[in-house]
Amino acid sequence: MSKEIINVLMHKHSVNIILEIYKARDDIYAAVIAKNIGAVWTYTVGLIQKLIAAGLVNFEKVGVYKRLVLTQKGIEVAEKLDKIMSTLKS
């Protein structure tokens, strides 16, 4: 993994984006994630594009919308991040 993506992943909003997608029970979109993490849409989309470039997230076209899904690599990272966050909260 490149140093740039490691810096992106260790950012609070990036972690929250991955965890939002991981924990979503229904389809989830960039606008919903932006609202949930307290960031503006354009900033959120920029981070999502970096996560896509790193092979952690993909878009799936659903009608006129693009829902976000984790790749297998993204799922592995999300599981580890979720475990870390749970450990730190307890």
Side-chain angles (χ1 to χ4, degrees), residues 5 9 11 13-14 17 19 46 56 66-67 75 77 80 89:
I5 193 58
L9 271 177
H11 190 274
H13 285 129
S14 298
I17 289 169
L19 292 177
L56 300 173
K66 291 181 181 178
R67 75 175 171 185
I75 292 169
V77 169
K80 291 173 182 167
K89 287 180 181 178

Side-chain angles (χ1 to χ4, degrees), residues 5 42-55 57 59 68:
I5 193 58
T42 52
Y43 176 72
T44 303
V45 169
L47 288 176
I48 290 169
Q49 288 172 340
K50 290 179 181 179
L51 295 172
I52 289 170
V57 175
F59 279 118
L68 293 160

